[in-house]
Amino acid sequence: MNGNKIEILSPAGSFAALHAALYAGADAVYFGVGNLNMRAGGAVNFTVDDLPEIVRLCHESGAKAYLAVNTIIYNHELDELYTLCDTAKAAGVDACIAGDMAVISYLRQIGMPVHLTVQCNISNIPAVRFYAQFADVMVLARELTLEEIAQISAAIRQEKICGPSGNPVRIEVFAHGALCIALSGRCGMSLCAYNRSANRGVCLQNCRRRYRVTDVETGFELELDHQYVMSPRDLCTVEVLDQILDAGATVLKIEGRGRPADYVSTVTKVYHEAVAAWQNGTFCRELAEDWRKKLETVFNRGFWTGGYYLGMQTEVWSKCGGSQATVQKIYLGKITNFYAKISVAELKIETANSIRPGDKVLVTGHTTGALEVDLKELRLDAGPVPAAVQGDVVAFAVPERVRVTDKVYLLKNKETDEENESKAETPGTEAETHFCG
């Protein structure tokens, strides 16, 4: 039995994703508001007025609320920064994620806890000692090995390196999600090509495209072994999570503030189960394989298992520019009614798709988060039916409350239902910015 307290830190780029994270068991949720975060152009984002509600929802679920203020800050933005930090503190935000010293110093001035972003590229013990005067939690550089993480964790314990709270510094590591080709996410590719900086939250993801290399003098074209040579696969650590936790990491960050609620729900649940298994001594290869299969069902660009943590030096490139999820979401329509006493929902099917008993659907919405439902029976006005098609308003039982206007998707296995490919969501609807934060 391992009694270490491990914090699962989940992303939220919308209220649907926030609810999904909390329902799935996240210990903390991180999010951004406005323009001063690394997802300013890549997620729905919240507004300053949303802060009290976000904090309330998190705290009622026993989770913490962390505001990302992790972009580079310029002089003309200082007043905006100060107002945002003051508002966050007044709303009860538990900590702010930051890397710019203007942000860090002001947060310390007003007594707001600081968590250091990965862009600080903390890679050694002297850096931990230095930053400990400002922060209680530090994200280590993504390029470190497990041995290097273990050495830093051991030094924190042996030297009793504490943050401003007086407690030992906690080590946070990136556990799952999209990777950037740049060192700890400090990418300049979008800036160079389009004057849209990743470090300002407005990356255009030009690394996710296919490229040809051409000699401009002769016209000779270099044929590459892989066309997506700047688009890494997503990091997946669930199969080596026991080694990461043994190395001393106590905060596991799930990347994906631009990804949908079902992604947040599935990934949070999987890592929650994996941490529990490590703590009670049941973590094993068979369970890890099952967890990986579950992770493959939601948005991913293929997985790089363990990544740099296992000593790998070269990132594994994605096979495509979009998702390789094994389960496809096919939009059906919206919830038109919910009967609370009998826990039955009505769905109007808007698209040229049909559903049958035995199918599985996903209901997602602002408050519902992401709810998967196994359809045991479908009913129209005339009673039970073997199928429902476009234009039908069909009723089915749901295990939890859903809301009017919630969106409903049919979940189909891609491996056996490729004929539905053309009916899937428009490509790119689940795309997300890939830089860290």
Side-chain angles (χ1 to χ4, degrees):
M1 174 73 72
N2 194 313
N4 287 359
K5 171 60 179 174
I6 306 301
E7 182 176 278
I8 297 175
L9 177 57
S10 297
S14 66
F15 273 107
L18 173 63
H19 281 283
L22 297 175
Y23 295 155
D27 301 294
V29 176
Y30 67 102
F31 53 91
V33 302
N35 299 317
L36 303 183
N37 73 94
M38 296 286 274
R39 287 294 185 277
V44 176
N45 271 306
F46 298 98
T47 68
V48 171
D49 293 337
D50 292 326
L51 283 173
E53 178 68 2
I54 294 170
V55 172
R56 182 188 69 80
L57 291 170
C58 287
H59 289 179
E60 285 182 355
S61 296
K64 294 188 175 180
Y66 300 151
L67 173 66
V69 193
N70 52 351
T71 58
I72 295 170
I73 304 295
Y74 292 110
N75 279 332
H76 70 274
E77 296 170 320
L78 290 176
D79 288 341
E80 179 184 357
L81 166 67
Y82 300 153
T83 299
L84 175 59
C85 293
D86 290 342
T87 304
K89 183 179 181 182
V93 169
D94 295 286
C96 287
I97 302 167
D100 190 301
M101 286 308 299
V103 186
I104 294 170
S105 60
Y106 188 73
L107 291 171
R108 293 301 308 130
Q109 180 181 326
I110 64 173
M112 172 68 80
V114 177
H115 293 185
L116 291 182
T117 181
V118 71
Q119 279 80 18
C120 290
N121 199 38
I122 298 172
S123 306
N124 53 65
I125 296 166
V128 172
R129 295 191 194 107
F130 171 77
Y131 281 117
Q133 63 186 304
F134 306 109
D136 292 297
V137 178
M138 302 180 190
V139 184
L140 296 185
R142 290 186 177 182
E143 296 74 31
L144 295 186
T145 65
L146 288 175
E147 182 180 0
E148 291 167 329
I149 294 171
Q151 291 172 352
I152 291 173
S153 297
I156 291 172
R157 293 192 301 271
Q158 293 166 5
E159 299 179 24
K160 295 182 173 58
I161 302 174
C162 296
S165 67
N167 298 316
V169 167
R170 290 190 292 154
I171 293 301
E172 178 179 328
V173 299
F174 179 50
H176 190 92
L179 285 171
C180 174
I181 59 169
L183 185 70
S184 279
R186 296 182 296 181
C187 187
M189 187 173 179
S190 178
L191 176 64
C192 292
Y194 302 107
N195 198 32
R196 297 283 299 274
S197 173
N199 297 300
R200 296 281 294 159
V202 287
C203 179
L204 290 181
Q205 299 191 81
N206 42 325
C207 65
R208 298 297 183 190
R209 303 169 188 165
R210 292 179 291 180
Y211 286 91
R212 290 191 290 263
V213 179
T214 304
D215 184 334
V216 295
E217 295 183 2
T218 66
F220 174 78
E221 184 176 299
L222 179 64
E223 187 173 336
L224 303 173
D225 291 335
H226 202 294
Q227 290 180 304
Y228 292 89
V229 294
M230 289 179 284
S231 181
R233 296 183 187 182
D234 289 358
L235 179 65
C236 177
T237 67
V238 73
E239 293 173 281
V240 296
L241 193 65
D242 55 336
Q243 298 177 54
I244 290 174
L245 297 176
D246 288 343
T250 58
V251 183
L252 301 175
K253 179 182 178 181
I254 297 168
E255 210 273 347
R257 278 194 285 142
R259 293 189 177 176
D262 59 303
Y263 169 90
V264 174
S265 176
T266 297
V267 179
T268 301
K269 286 178 182 176
V270 165
Y271 280 86
H272 190 279
E273 291 176 11
V275 168
W278 175 77
Q279 289 175 323
N280 63 33
T282 61
F283 191 101
C284 64
R285 182 176 181 83
E286 290 75 18
L287 285 174
E289 290 175 351
D290 288 340
W291 291 324
R292 181 186 174 102
K293 289 178 182 177
K294 289 180 183 177
L295 294 170
E296 289 173 344
T297 65
V298 291
F299 189 104
N300 70 85
R301 295 187 178 93
F303 288 142
W304 187 26
T305 301
Y308 292 114
Y309 300 142
L310 300 184
M312 302 178 192
Q313 297 300 311
T314 304
E315 291 171 334
V316 178
W317 306 117
S318 176
K319 296 179 180 179
C320 66
S323 177
Q324 296 183 45
T326 58
V327 172
Q328 182 183 34
K329 296 190 317 188
I330 303 170
Y331 179 68
L332 292 171
K334 298 183 182 69
I335 297 295
T336 58
N337 213 333
F338 174 70
Y339 301 96
K341 289 184 178 180
I342 56 175
S343 196
V344 167
E346 283 186 344
L347 159 69
K348 182 174 182 179
I349 301 179
E350 302 171 2
T351 59
N353 297 290
S354 62
I355 52 174
R356 295 169 175 78
D359 285 340
K360 177 177 288 189
V361 296
L362 169 72
V363 184
T364 182
H366 183 90
T367 305
T368 302
L371 176 65
E372 292 188 6
V373 181
D374 292 313
L375 301 178
K376 293 181 171 55
E377 182 183 54
L378 298 175
R379 298 183 71 90
L380 297 178
D381 289 338
V385 292
V389 298
Q390 186 174 19
D392 287 342
V393 177
V394 61
F396 55 92
V398 291
E400 299 174 17
R401 180 181 181 84
V402 296
R403 283 85 183 168
V404 173
T405 73
D406 281 356
K407 294 181 179 180
V408 183
Y409 299 86
L410 175 64
L411 299 179
K412 299 288 281 185
N413 191 309
K414 277 187 178 179
E415 294 178 352
T416 58
D417 295 282
E418 287 297 332
E419 69 274 8
N420 291 306
E421 188 95 13
S422 62
K423 301 177 185 177
E425 296 175 324
T426 302
T429 56
E430 288 188 18
E432 65 150 342
T433 46
H434 61 272
F435 40 85
C436 311

